[in-house]
Amino acid sequence: MELNGRVVVVTGGTRGVGAGIARSFLAAGAEVLVCARRPPEEPVAEGGRSASFTAVDLRDPAAVREFFASVAARHGRLDCLVNNAGGTPYRLLGEGEAERHARVVELNLIAPMTASVAAYPWLRETRGSIVMIGSVSGTRPSPGTAAYGAAKAGLENLARSMAVEWAPEVRVNSLVLGMVRTELSHLHYGDESGIAAVGATVPLGRLAEPSDVGEAAVFLASDRAGYVSGASLLVHGGGERPAFLDAATANKEK
């Protein structure tokens, strides 16, 4: 219960990775508030404790400012903001209107910046921290999700700049995620055999679970990471198995 008494906001914390992050913070003793446009289908809970929910459109700066002011008014403090909300459909950059790609950038880069700026006054008072949820799509070419990859690359750079500007009062770090298994994994990878086949391409042999991301986020928010700021922590199971390794293994088996 190392985060007992601390107040944490997780954006997009109603399902998938965000819900896993929220549950990890609950297990660590924090008071957790999740926000998204729509409420969760069932309460986000862990160990007999539940996260509270507030409906917020993170693309609306006025609504975001009002939300963080209400958090401070209700709880008297804010210790950590996890900017998790994001995502994208598969869409080639040359297909569809530019406005659709711009909305992807708005959700994955502009909205986390808006939330961070709104939370900053209260995080400064508690010498709190921000955890950005990035993606390996921001570290390499991302065909089919180019706007998303560009936004995540920008998010990682934004975190590093914030870490310098807002030191020493607020620490800012990023988690750079690979593939994570969620309730929507079947839409991307197919049935259980398809998910297992994709997991086999990861050096650790499986997709990440939301709890893997949550535990890493708790670490960055905790006093154990008190001297960690401006860092990008890879949570990707070793990345992707290089093609040459598979080729070498196949040659040995001949």
Side-chain angles (χ1 to χ4, degrees):
M1 305 295 282
E2 62 185 311
L3 299 183
N4 188 38
R6 300 191 188 182
V7 176
V8 178
V9 168
V10 181
T11 69
T14 58
R15 65 179 185 177
V17 173
I21 293 171
R23 286 192 287 268
S24 292
F25 275 99
L26 285 168
E31 185 78 18
V32 181
L33 299 87
V34 299
C35 63
R37 284 185 295 170
R38 289 179 288 273
E41 294 182 359
E42 57 184 41
V44 178
E46 181 68 29
R49 302 173 61 242
S50 299
S52 63
F53 169 77
T54 303
V56 181
D57 185 346
L58 294 165
R59 298 167 299 179
D60 182 345
V64 171
R65 288 192 295 270
E66 181 180 350
F67 167 68
F68 282 102
S70 71
V71 170
R74 280 183 290 162
H75 299 276
R77 61 185 297 141
L78 176 63
D79 297 275
C80 180
L81 164 63
V82 182
N83 279 308
N84 165 77
T88 183
Y90 181 89
R91 183 175 291 114
L92 294 172
L93 196 60
E95 299 177 357
E97 301 82 6
E99 291 82 358
R100 289 191 176 186
H101 300 302
R103 286 196 289 271
V104 171
V105 176
E106 181 182 22
L107 175 61
N108 290 279
L109 176 58
I110 305 303
M113 181 171 63
T114 299
S116 298
V117 172
Y120 172 65
W122 290 281
L123 291 172
R124 183 175 56 188
E125 291 182 4
T126 60
R127 298 183 78 87
S129 70
I130 296 172
V131 179
M132 302 290 197
I133 303 301
S135 169
V136 295
S137 294
T139 67
R140 54 166 171 71
S142 186
T145 56
Y148 174 79
K152 290 300 188 180
L155 186 67
E156 195 171 349
N157 183 275
L158 176 67
R160 291 174 179 167
S161 296
M162 285 179 172
V164 175
E165 285 194 18
W166 293 353
E169 290 87 3
V170 179
R171 295 185 299 107
V172 187
N173 294 290
S174 297
L175 294 179
V176 182
L177 308 188
M179 296 177 288
V180 184
R181 178 169 182 158
T182 70
E183 61 267 36
L184 299 179
S185 290
H186 65 283
L187 298 178
H188 303 283
Y189 312 124
D191 59 13
E192 287 298 318
S193 62
I195 292 172
V198 173
T201 68
V202 179
L204 288 188
R206 64 175 177 87
L207 303 188
E209 297 291 337
S211 59
D212 294 316
V213 182
E215 292 303 307
V218 167
F219 164 70
L220 289 179
S222 74
D223 293 339
R224 288 179 289 165
Y227 199 66
V228 180
S229 193
S232 296
L233 177 59
L234 293 169
V235 185
H236 64 358
E240 300 168 339
R241 288 176 57 87
F244 72 80
L245 183 61
D246 289 334
T249 301
N251 286 333
K252 286 182 180 180
E253 293 174 350
K254 287 182 179 179

